[in-house]
Structure formats: C-alpha cells, structure tokens
Amino acid sequence: MIAAALPLIFFFSGVSALLFENLWFYQAGITFGNSVWASSLVLAGFMGGLALGNALAARLKPGGFRAIRVYALLEVAIGVVGLALVIALPLLTSLLTDIVGPALSVPWLANLLRLVCAFLLLMVPSTAMGATFPVMVSALYQRDPRFGSVLGRLYGWNTLGAVLGAVAGHMVLLEAVGVRGTAFVAAGISVSVAALGFALSRRFESGELQTLDVGPAAKLSKPALGLLVAAGVAGFILLGLEVVWFRFLLHFLFGSSGTFAILLAVVLAGIGLGGLAGAGIAALHSRPERLLPGAALLTGALCVTLYLLFPSGPNVRTWTDTATLALSLMFPVALLSGVLFTLLGSAIKREEDRETRAAGLLTLANTTGAMLGPLIVGFALLPAIGIDRCVQLLAGLYAVIGGLTWASGARPKRLAESVFTYGAGVFLVLVVALFPAGDVLERHLRPVVDQHAGEGAARPVAMREGLTETIIYMEESAFGEPIAYRMLTNGYSMSSTDFRSQRYMKLFVYLPMALHPDAKTALLISYGVGSTAKALTNSAGLETIDVVDISRDVLEMNDIVYSEKGTLPLDDPRVQAHIEDGRYFLETTEKRFDFITGEPPPPKMAGVVGLYTREYFSLIRDRLSEGGIASYWLPVHQLDPSDSKAIIRAFCDAFDDCTLWRGAGLDWILLGTRNAAGPGTAARFSRQWSDPVVGPELVALGIETPEQLGALFMRDAEGLRDLAGDTDPVTDDRPKRLSDRPFDVATNRAGFDTYVSWLEWSSSRAGFERSAWIARMWPDELIVPTLGQFPTESWATLATLSKTRPLQSVMMTVHKLLAGSKLTTLPLWLLGSDFLRQAAAQRAFEKGTLNADVHWELALGALAKRDYDRAYELFGRAAEGGAQSSRVSALTVYSLFMASDRAGKEQLLASLAGGRMAQNLKPWVLQFLNQAVRMR
C-alpha cells in the first residue's frame, strides 16, 4: 500500500510545485521586471534554493528515521511560505525597488542585488522543494531496495504532476480564480499531501526524525565524482536546449503564455515518462548503468537529427498543432534525458551506499548544471554562435557524458550493450560532424520570411540572434527604391515603417502634443522600429526624451531604418536610452513626465500582459506630472472584442478622463491625463502644423488640418464605460481576463463587424459634440469645424483598413475630395498610393527610371495635387509604357475631364458617348463622369 501511495503523493507534490513556480516567477516579473537579466536572475535564485535543499538532504544522517514525516513537514513549509510569497511579493515591490533602484546606473550591482533578493525571498520554499525528492527517495527505498526503480518512479511521477500543474494552472485555474486563488489551490494541494504524509507516517513509521550530519562530509570516490559531473552536464545541456528549442519554435508559434505552457508541458512529459522508463530498465536490468554511455550518445544524435528533420514552414492553427510540433522536436530528447537521470542515479548508488546522500548529490549536481545552462546558453552562446551552432555544440556535449560515465566504470559488457553504445557513438559523430551549421536555420526560416515578403516586394536585409529574440529586418522596395522596413522578432511581424504603421505610431505623439503643447519631458516605453521615437525627436519643444526597451538588439539594429547621418532618433542629444523592463523602470524612476507613450509588444505575448493591467496604467498616471498626458496602443485587430473591453476597463479605472481615438485601421489609441486642462487657444493647439518638420509629417499622415485631428475621436470616458459594460478589467491578479485564444480579425467576421460598429462616424461625432472632456480640452473655435471632418476621417479609416480597393468603389469619394477640399493625402491613399511610394517614384524618376510604373505613381501624385494637366500627361506616358489597364484609361480620361472647363467637360462627355474615346473604358466611367459634371 505505502509503496503505491508515495509515488501518488509525489505526483500531486509536482502539481503544487509547478503551480507555485509559475506564480512566483509571474509575481517576481512584476516586482523585479521582465527583462532577460531580471528573469534569469530570479530563475537562478530559485535554482540556487533547490540546490541548497538538495545539499542539505544529502547531509541527513544515515539510519532509520521517519522520512515521510520529514517530507510532510517540507510540504507544509512549501504550502504556507509559498502562499505567503505570492501574496506578499506585490506588497514588497516598493521596498525592493528602493533597494535595487539606486543601483540601476551600475548594472552589475543592480543585477547582483536582484539575485540576492530573489534568493532570499525564494530560499525557504525552494530549499524545501529541493529537499523533498531525496527524502521521498529514502522513504520509498526503505520499502523497495531497488534504488534505480525507486528513483525513476518518484522522479517520473513528480515530473508528470508538474505537467498537470503547467497545463491546469494556465488553462483553467488562472482564468477561473486568478493568481491569488491559484496560490490557494497550490497551497491546498501541498497541505493535503502533507496531511496524507502525516497519516502514513503515524501508521507505518516509528523512531526519531533524522537530523543533519554536521561533521565533515564523506569523501567521494573518483567514479562517483565523474558520475556527478556527468549529471551536472546533463542538467546543463537539457536546460540549455530548452532555451534553444523555445527560441527556435517561437519562429513558428505565437509566443503567448499558453504556447509556453504547452512547450513546457511537452518537455516535462518527456522527462517524466523517461524517468518511469528508466525505472523499468533499472528494475529489469541487473547493471543498468552499462547503458549510460550509449543512452547519452543516442540522446545527442537525436537532438541534431530531430532539428534537421523539423518540418519546413509548419502550419500551426490550434493548440494541438503547437503540441504536435513541440513533440516532434523536443519529446524524444526529453524522454531520454529522464532515462539518463535515472540511470545516473543507479550508478551513483553503487558508489554511495546511503540512499539519501546518493539522491541528494545527484539532484544537487543536476540542479547546479540546470541553473548554469540557461544563463550560459542564453547570455553567451546564443548571441555568439546562434541556434544552429548551439544545437551542434549541446548535442556534442552528450559525448562528454558518455566519456565521463565510461571512465567511471559504466561500460557495456554484453554484445547487445556494445552494439548499442558503439552504434549510438557513430550516429552522434556523423550527425554532429556533417551538421551544416549556418544553413539549417536559414532553411527553416525561409517560409517564415517569405510569408512577409508581400509578393516578392520585400526581402531580408539583416538578421541577428540576440539575447532575447532573433530579429530579422525586411526591406520593402518599389521602383528599385527602399520604401519601408519590417522588423520580425522570433518570426512575428512586430513593427513596420509603412505608411499605415507610421500614421498610428506617430499619432501617439502628435495627438497628445496638440493637447499639451508645452510638454517638456517625455517617456517612450518600447521602441520598435523607431517611428514613435522619431515623432518625439521631431517635436522641438521637448527637452528630455527617455526611451525604455527590454532589448538592446532592437535599439542597435535601428540604424538600418535610419541609415543617413543625423536621422537616427537615438542619436538625438535629448534622448536617453534605458535597457530595462518598462514597468520596472516606472517603479524605480524618480522622474515625472509631462508625456508618456507606450507601444509594447502584442498584449497576448508571454510576459506582456503586465503592461496592460489596471495596476500598470495606474503606475503610468502616477508618473505623470500634474497636467500630464499619456497615450497607449490598443491593437484591436489582435484582440477579441471582450479582450479589448477588458483593457479599456483597466485603462479607464486608472484614468477617469480616458478617451479612445482612431489611429490607422484597427490600431487605436487610448488617451488619459492627470488633470490636464487642454491647450486653451486654437493657436497653441495648431502650433504643430506650422512647424517646418512636424507640419509636413502631419500632412503625410493624413492629418492636414487641426480639425482633422479631432475627427479621430471615438469615445470619451462615459462612452467607454457604456462600451465596456460589465466587463471586468485586466489586473495583476486576473491576467487571464486577457485571453490566450488566438484572434485574427481577418478571419473572424463577427469580431471585425463589432469593431466596424465601434468606428461608426456619426456616433463618434455625436459623442464629440456632447463630450464634457472635449469641451474642456478642445479649443472652442475648432469644435464646429471638427464636426464636419468626421465623414472625411471615415474615408481615411477605409483607406487604412484595406490595401486594395476597386477604383469604381472609391472614385466618387476621390472626386468629392478633389473638387470640394484642399486635401491631398487622403485622395492619394484611396487611389492606392502614399507618401513613401511617391518619394520612391520621384527618386527613381530623378535617376532616369522612366517606366510605366514610375509614370503611373507620379501621375497619382499630380492628380492628388490637382495638377490635372501633368497627371493627364503622366497617365498617357504610363499607357505608352505598356500600362493598358482599365485603371489607367479611367484616370487618364478623368484627368482630362478635370483639366477642362465646363464646356470642355461637356464636349468630352459627348465624345465619350459617341464612342470615339471609350473603347478602353469600363461602362461605369461614363456614368461617373456624368454624375461629376452635374455636381459642378
């Protein structure tokens, strides 16, 4: 009975442990930041605690003792202290930032303080966790003398419990009961298994609790030392591979917390089942350690082989697809790693008679290696040699394990053992020696890059495998000239400089600066491709600009976009860059800012939800100067409407005067202030349009007049409260109110229709007209003119929602704009062009490129500027160059029509009706021109 009960108890111990680990890391991310350094140092502190627990367990005195009672006491400590830590960490944020904050200017000192604080906070529960395994091994070993079988069974069932903890915690508990509620569940499991332990101890155990042996440690034999080094190398390789695997797989998977939970579950499942397989081998084989060299060599060979055979351009749509992909790459290696751990334990037990010491030293060595693996691989190897070489190197290190175990006496004796070992060795040597490092990753990533190429218009121009991500820059060209850049991070299109992206990114600055024209200090959280930063440096009134980004590589590679001397925003003397987590920067800075803007990665990416919670938005408000203003990205095209409502609710809980504005298409802007009073006069509000740098930028972005800026308005606080309804806000305790469910507005018609209804211009105009916020913030003399711009802005939204539109569907709108306004940018957008394409066509023209495409593009520009004679000439040249499409014919006739006086227009219509000029025209063109002449 007890032999069956202990693995079951340890299974649920694994569930609790994984739940707590995830919760501690989540809370520590809020407290210490989510930068790569902070996250790694918290992990190191946790692993250090585990290693301490392993070491203490190895020093338990030999002899009979109540091991189950000791285990139960450890579980009580884990449950009680672990729960307290989850609750207390957010409350300790101010204290801990006071400790670390002053040292931020000295990075090594700040990181040392982070490590010390993390270790001290996590020491009690992580040390207790580290001690549970050796103690439980001792408890079961007293009833089953097959050490390898005992070790593998407990290791396997505990790890499989961790699988359940990883999946259930993320998929069920966090969404149902939140962070603190999940902590209570984890504590309840720990206390429950402790209670079972106490009950079993009372019934089956007697004697005193075992105490620590404080005397000198017994000297280890050379074979034991070699085996322990092998166990450390195994831990190093597997955790290092986990870093490499996850980085690689994220090129094909959306990096949400759900994705990470599945990837972790696959690795843990492999290790757990490997532990059980190892237990079976140890039970059936009289000398299972003889299989160690062969098992290590085979693991290394599979590591390379599975990477080479990874499917090209996998189609991932569901969680099942994600799991299948992870299984194909990681599971076999993780399975053999579990077998290796168990066989290493069997071998060590032959050198060390005390079961607790053998298990403790094994886990101490393995944990120490596991602690170093992510640090060395993530911080040194990946940035230095890349994914390909890391796979090759780590696979080769399995040969080191084979050599160490061989030298320690774990050698094959039987023919089958020798064939297995030497065959695995040849396999490993071949795949490592013949591994085409440098070519494999490029081959795997080619489909990822191609899907962003846009029918061949874009090509990769730079790639860097950095500390936190693999960055690929794509260059889009037109007429042989570069027009835009797209930054891919881990295969995801993170940011672009195309005109749609520039519109909303720069409006993050130009909209608030119109409302707060005297702002002197600004903070940008997340840099991207630098468009928002460029808008900040374009704003001459700003005196200091702080830029915070979690990735040094993102900042360093931005000179690809701004290659001309003096154009890179980071070179502006007012700019100070900080490589730090944005939230942690806000927690530690003593500065106050007149203006804060943020465009973090997509909200559903792992670790990003902390930048979309009520607490974080409140922190932004707290760091604003009195009268300050904040703008924030709301990418609704990536969010289910319920997700958007939860974020809006969180923002409006922090900012009483929250408002929502159009940006470009379905990239919107949340705006909030700290008791701002507005610019006052129309002259102050309109200052940017007379600026020699910002003014032309605003025109290019389709905001040609101050009145057009107001037509971006969608809702004020009252309207947003109605919109959100009874939706609960995203909070630090309830991060899963922002779902992990993938959402693509292009394929979700219901979601798209919902957002289109939110964009309905007449309700936005009515809200603008009656808004108390507008009455306070908007210059009186601009309110009435702004009301007339809402229909126009709806056309701009149409232009930025879709890239291609039939000419027939927009021609009447274009004509109304050309005939009834002075706007130039919006007609250009509706006709399929923009300022980037126009500039590229002009450069090509000046270089002597006089083909049909260049003439067509310049003709569109001339038409938008109402230079109809020039447009007619250029459309004609485009036709002569081979552009015989109906679009060219229609716009050629339209240019002639607009260049003519009233009589000329009527004469043109008559000739068209007679058929002499209408051979290449669609029937709708004549109908449209008849309507146009009646409008005149």
Side-chain angles (χ1 to χ4, degrees):
M1 173 186 172
I2 191 169
L6 292 180
L8 180 63
I9 288 174
F10 213 39
F11 172 86
F12 286 101
S13 178
V15 176
S16 171
L18 206 287
L19 288 174
F20 270 133
E21 287 174 35
N22 285 340
L23 295 174
W24 295 337
F25 290 151
Y26 171 77
Q27 298 288 59
I30 293 173
T31 302
F32 294 106
N34 276 305
S35 70
V36 62
W37 282 103
S39 300
S40 298
L41 291 168
V42 170
L43 174 62
F46 172 73
M47 299 292 281
L50 290 180
L52 177 59
N54 302 152
L56 291 174
R59 297 302 302 272
L60 288 171
K61 288 181 179 179
F65 66 99
R66 289 189 284 176
I68 303 175
R69 175 68 60 92
V70 174
Y71 164 76
L73 290 171
L74 291 171
E75 282 292 346
V76 170
I78 293 169
V80 173
V81 181
L83 173 61
L85 191 59
V86 172
I87 295 173
L89 263 174
L91 304 177
L92 295 173
T93 298
S94 297
L95 173 63
L96 294 172
T97 52
D98 287 344
I99 294 172
V100 180
L104 285 179
S105 59
V106 186
W108 69 266
L109 179 57
N111 287 327
L112 177 61
L113 291 172
R114 276 176 169 144
L115 177 60
V116 171
C117 290
F119 176 76
L120 291 176
L121 286 168
L122 295 169
M123 182 174 65
V124 172
S126 61
T127 300
M129 280 185 182
T132 55
F133 181 65
V135 170
M136 188 62 96
V137 167
S138 179
L140 188 55
Y141 181 72
Q142 292 177 33
R143 290 149 183 90
D144 183 350
R146 299 171 301 170
F147 182 82
S149 176
V150 166
L151 187 80
R153 285 158 58 199
L154 289 173
Y155 183 61
W157 283 114
N158 185 254
T159 308
L160 291 177
V163 174
L164 179 59
V167 175
H170 180 81
M171 301 294 184
V172 179
L173 291 174
L174 278 175
E175 187 167 357
V177 296
V179 171
R180 287 192 292 271
T182 302
F184 276 102
V185 172
I189 295 173
S190 289
V191 172
S192 296
V193 297
L196 288 172
F198 284 128
L200 289 173
S201 178
R202 281 194 300 271
R203 182 172 179 182
F204 295 104
E205 291 187 317
S206 62
E208 299 296 326
L209 292 178
Q210 188 179 25
T211 58
L212 291 176
D213 185 353
V214 295
K219 188 176 181 180
L220 291 168
S221 66
K222 287 185 178 179
L225 284 172
L227 292 167
L228 289 174
V229 172
V233 174
F236 175 91
I237 297 173
L238 186 61
L239 267 291
L241 275 174
E242 189 175 300
V243 172
V244 176
W245 283 334
F246 285 17
R247 171 74 69 84
F248 174 68
L249 287 170
L250 287 179
H251 291 101
F252 317 101
L253 308 172
F254 182 69
S256 68
S257 56
T259 297
F260 277 96
I262 290 173
L263 299 185
L264 178 60
V266 168
V267 173
L268 292 174
I271 296 171
L273 292 174
L276 295 178
I281 294 171
L284 297 174
H285 200 296
S286 60
R287 297 294 299 269
E289 65 273 9
R290 292 176 182 173
L291 301 175
L292 266 172
L297 296 170
L298 179 61
T299 306
L302 282 178
C303 177
V304 173
T305 303
L306 295 172
Y307 179 65
L308 289 172
L309 297 178
F310 189 82
S312 178
N315 185 18
V316 181
R317 296 181 180 274
T318 65
W319 294 129
T320 302
D321 294 336
T322 299
T324 302
L325 203 64
L327 285 166
S328 70
L329 178 68
M330 303 186 296
F331 183 80
V333 175
L335 180 76
L336 284 175
S337 296
V339 173
L340 271 176
F341 180 87
T342 305
L343 298 184
L344 282 165
S346 292
I348 291 170
K349 182 61 174 64
R350 289 190 176 273
E351 300 295 329
E352 171 55 56
D353 187 57
R354 291 160 53 185
E355 74 281 355
T356 310
R357 179 171 162 82
L361 291 175
L362 169 67
T363 49
L364 172 61
N366 193 254
T367 301
T368 302
M371 178 175 63
L372 295 175
L375 297 176
I376 293 175
V377 172
F379 286 106
L381 295 181
L382 261 178
I385 63 177
I387 290 175
D388 275 6
R389 290 291 186 189
C390 278
V391 171
Q392 184 183 34
L393 175 62
L394 293 172
L397 283 179
Y398 277 106
V400 174
I401 298 176
L404 287 168
T405 55
W406 184 289
S408 298
R411 302 172 186 174
K413 298 294 184 182
R414 300 171 182 170
L415 177 61
E417 295 167 352
S418 297
V419 170
F420 170 62
T421 301
Y422 290 116
V426 171
F427 187 12
L428 176 60
V429 169
L430 286 175
V431 294
V432 171
L434 300 178
F435 182 70
D439 297 332
V440 184
L441 182 63
E442 183 178 348
R443 172 168 58 82
H444 285 322
L445 295 188
R446 175 54 55 187
V448 178
V449 172
D450 288 346
Q451 72 181 357
H452 297 287
E455 298 181 356
R459 63 185 181 90
V461 292
M463 173 176 166
R464 178 184 294 187
E465 296 181 72
L467 282 175
T468 56
E469 70 278 288
T470 300
I471 300 174
I472 300 174
Y473 260 98
M474 305 281 291
E475 180 186 85
E476 183 181 350
S477 300
F479 324 113
E481 299 287 328
I483 61 171
Y485 293 91
R486 182 173 301 278
M487 183 178 72
L488 311 181
T489 62
N490 293 335
Y492 185 84
S493 179
M494 192 64 68
S495 194
S496 172
T497 63
D498 62 23
F499 88 94
R500 294 172 182 82
S501 299
Q502 286 203 47
R503 174 175 162 94
Y504 78 84
M505 291 177 188
K506 292 186 175 181
L507 283 173
F508 286 147
V509 176
Y510 297 144
L511 171 59
M513 290 298 290
L515 296 167
H516 190 9
D518 294 329
K520 302 299 181 186
T521 58
L523 169 65
L524 168 62
I525 297 171
S526 295
Y527 186 82
V529 291
S531 294
T532 305
K534 190 64 175 175
L536 287 169
T537 57
N538 286 343
S539 301
L542 292 174
E543 296 175 356
T544 65
I545 302 168
D546 286 86
V547 173
V548 181
D549 198 279
I550 207 165
S551 171
R552 185 180 301 276
D553 299 299
V554 165
L555 301 184
E556 290 180 351
M557 293 187 73
N558 195 231
D559 58 1
I560 293 171
V561 178
Y562 300 99
S563 56
E564 296 183 17
K565 186 176 181 180
T567 61
L568 182 65
L570 295 169
D571 288 341
D572 191 295
R574 296 170 295 168
V575 172
Q576 182 177 2
H578 310 268
I579 309 301
E580 188 53 83
D581 173 71
R583 180 164 180 163
Y584 192 74
F585 177 84
L586 286 171
E587 290 279 9
T588 55
T589 186
E590 296 180 354
K591 294 183 179 180
R592 292 295 181 271
F593 302 93
D594 299 330
F595 168 46
I596 298 175
T597 187
E599 186 201 355
K604 294 192 178 187
M605 281 192 162
V608 180
V609 67
L611 301 182
Y612 280 89
T613 65
R614 178 174 60 194
E615 292 83 355
Y616 174 68
F617 291 138
S618 297
L619 182 59
I620 289 178
R621 188 184 187 282
D622 185 61
R623 293 300 181 267
L624 287 173
S625 307
E626 188 65 20
I629 190 167
S631 60
Y632 217 75
W633 183 41
L634 184 65
V636 299
H637 57 90
Q638 301 173 1
L639 302 168
D640 185 270
S642 62
D643 296 325
S644 297
K645 291 178 181 180
I647 293 174
I648 289 170
R649 173 66 72 186
F651 190 85
C652 291
D653 281 355
F655 290 95
D656 292 337
D657 63 350
C658 59
T659 51
L660 180 64
W661 303 75
R662 301 168 190 244
L666 297 178
D667 288 289
W668 299 345
I669 303 169
L670 285 164
L671 213 64
T673 82
R674 182 166 180 164
N675 306 317
T681 67
R684 295 182 72 244
F685 179 92
S686 306
R687 189 184 297 170
Q688 292 181 104
W689 280 266
S690 59
D691 185 276
V693 176
V694 176
E697 283 254 303
L698 286 165
V699 171
L701 297 176
I703 312 296
E704 300 185 47
T705 67
E707 297 90 332
Q708 283 184 278
L709 194 66
L712 300 173
F713 175 86
M714 292 175 63
R715 302 280 195 286
D716 62 6
E718 181 181 356
L720 289 175
R721 279 193 293 270
D722 292 340
L723 186 71
D726 58 358
T727 303
D728 292 317
V730 183
T731 66
D732 287 346
D733 185 58
R734 303 301 292 264
K736 292 289 289 180
R737 285 176 180 158
L738 186 62
S739 71
D740 261 339
R741 295 184 299 272
F743 182 84
D744 183 2
V745 74
T747 58
N748 190 311
R749 187 67 196 181
F752 179 80
D753 290 343
T754 297
Y755 289 134
V756 168
S757 70
W758 293 5
L759 284 166
E760 207 282 314
W761 66 265
S762 60
S763 61
S764 296
R765 182 172 66 178
F768 182 93
E769 191 171 15
R770 65 172 180 266
S771 171
W773 188 90
I774 290 295
R776 182 179 93 239
M777 296 291 292
W778 220 256
D780 292 340
E781 55 268 48
L782 290 179
I783 290 179
V784 172
T786 297
L787 293 174
Q789 294 298 322
F790 278 87
T792 302
E793 178 53 35
S794 71
W795 297 333
T797 299
L798 170 69
T800 56
L801 270 174
S802 58
K803 293 183 179 181
T804 57
R805 292 163 297 278
L807 184 62
Q808 181 179 357
S809 68
V810 300
M811 200 62 225
M812 183 54 70
T813 301
V814 170
H815 177 67
K816 290 177 180 178
L817 289 169
L818 293 177
S821 77
K822 296 181 179 180
L823 301 179
T824 58
T825 302
L826 183 52
L828 202 59
W829 287 358
L830 292 171
L831 291 170
S833 184
D834 56 74
F835 70 97
L836 296 171
R837 295 183 62 83
Q838 288 290 305
Q842 186 61 42
R843 291 194 300 270
F845 183 81
E846 291 170 357
K847 292 178 181 179
T849 304
L850 306 177
N851 58 35
D853 291 337
V854 171
H855 286 132
W856 163 263
E857 199 68 37
L858 294 178
L860 294 178
L863 187 64
K865 294 174 183 175
R866 292 137 176 101
D867 188 349
Y868 301 117
D869 290 327
R870 177 66 173 162
Y872 177 74
E873 175 190 354
L874 290 169
F875 281 129
R877 292 184 184 179
E880 292 171 2
Q884 299 294 331
S885 72
S886 59
R887 289 174 66 90
V888 175
S889 301
L891 290 179
T892 301
V893 170
Y894 178 71
S895 299
L896 181 61
F897 175 86
M898 294 300 288
S900 306
D901 57 14
R902 178 78 181 187
K905 287 180 171 60
E906 292 177 349
Q907 184 178 357
L908 175 61
L909 286 173
S911 64
L912 288 173
R916 290 187 295 109
M917 298 179 62
Q919 294 180 0
N920 294 323
L921 291 180
K922 296 289 185 180
W924 67 265
V925 177
L926 182 59
Q927 182 182 4
F928 156 71
L929 292 177
N930 275 295
Q931 291 177 333
V933 78
R934 287 197 296 271
M935 287 174 60
R936 298 281 292 186

